[in-house]
Every structure is written in C-alpha cells, then in structure tokens.
Amino acid sequence: MTTQHTTEPWNQFREDENGKEAFKIVPAWGRNGMYFVATCYGPDAEANAEFIVRACNSHDALLAALEGLLANAPAPKGVRKDFSYILYLEAARAAIRAAKPPERSAP
C-alpha cells in the first residue's frame, strides 16, 4: 500500500454505467488504463464529484495560505473582550491539523 495520494490536479467526467449516470474522478493526466480516483452515483453525484475535485485541487494551496497567515499574522493591539482572535487562531491550528495526513510511525 502506498502512502501518497494520486497527484493533482483531478478532473471529473460523466459516464453511463449500465444505464446509471456516474461521475468519475480521474487524474488530469489521463485515465491511466481505466484507473479512477472515485466514482459518484445518485441524484447529487455531479455536485459531489465537482466538490471533491475542487476541494482536492485547492487543498495544498489553502493549507499553505493558512499556515503562512498563521505564521505571519501580527497580534492585534490590545485584547479583545470576546477573545475572538485567540479562538480564530485555535480554529486555524485545528484546520491545519485536520488537513494534514496523519504522521505514520516508522516500522
């Protein structure tokens, strides 16, 4: 089993599978011999496939932007009475932790 996901960017296309509409998510560099990242079915299939492609294709840039902002954002002057700045910092840290793959221990 590999520890790397399929390289982005990803694309999607519609395909008929035995009379059922399906939306396939594939690497942008091609189908690679019918290799798919994911297949979406059902009434929300197209919207779900579009969402997956958008989220995955923007993941690295959003993570880098958030990390850069967190590392370089100046602290506000004075303390806000509602502590919202501290809450937003913690929310940013939590989002970064959630977006990064889990660290694997060496065998």
Side-chain angles (χ1 to χ4, degrees):
M1 185 170 127
T2 163
T3 59
Q4 283 291 103
H5 63 75
T6 303
T7 305
E8 302 95 3
W10 295 353
N11 290 326
Q12 60 137 355
F13 68 93
R14 183 194 174 286
E15 186 170 86
D16 183 64
E17 276 190 2
N18 301 320
K20 287 172 54 178
E21 184 177 60
F23 288 86
K24 307 284 186 167
I25 298 171
V26 296
W29 37 265
R31 291 191 195 180
N32 192 22
M34 298 305 290
Y35 174 73
F36 302 115
V37 173
T39 303
C40 297
Y41 300 99
D44 300 328
E46 184 174 19
N48 290 338
E50 288 175 0
F51 181 72
I52 291 167
V53 168
R54 265 194 333 273
C56 292
N57 286 347
S58 64
H59 173 270
D60 292 345
L62 289 171
L63 182 58
L66 186 55
E67 287 176 323
L69 183 62
L70 192 58
N72 296 296
K77 294 187 185 327
V79 176
R80 292 179 58 120
K81 292 183 181 183
D82 63 359
F83 298 100
S84 62
Y85 183 76
I86 295 168
L87 296 174
Y88 287 127
L89 287 177
E90 186 49 40
R93 289 184 187 105
I96 290 169
R97 283 191 304 273
K100 287 188 170 184
E103 292 186 21
R104 300 179 191 269
S105 57

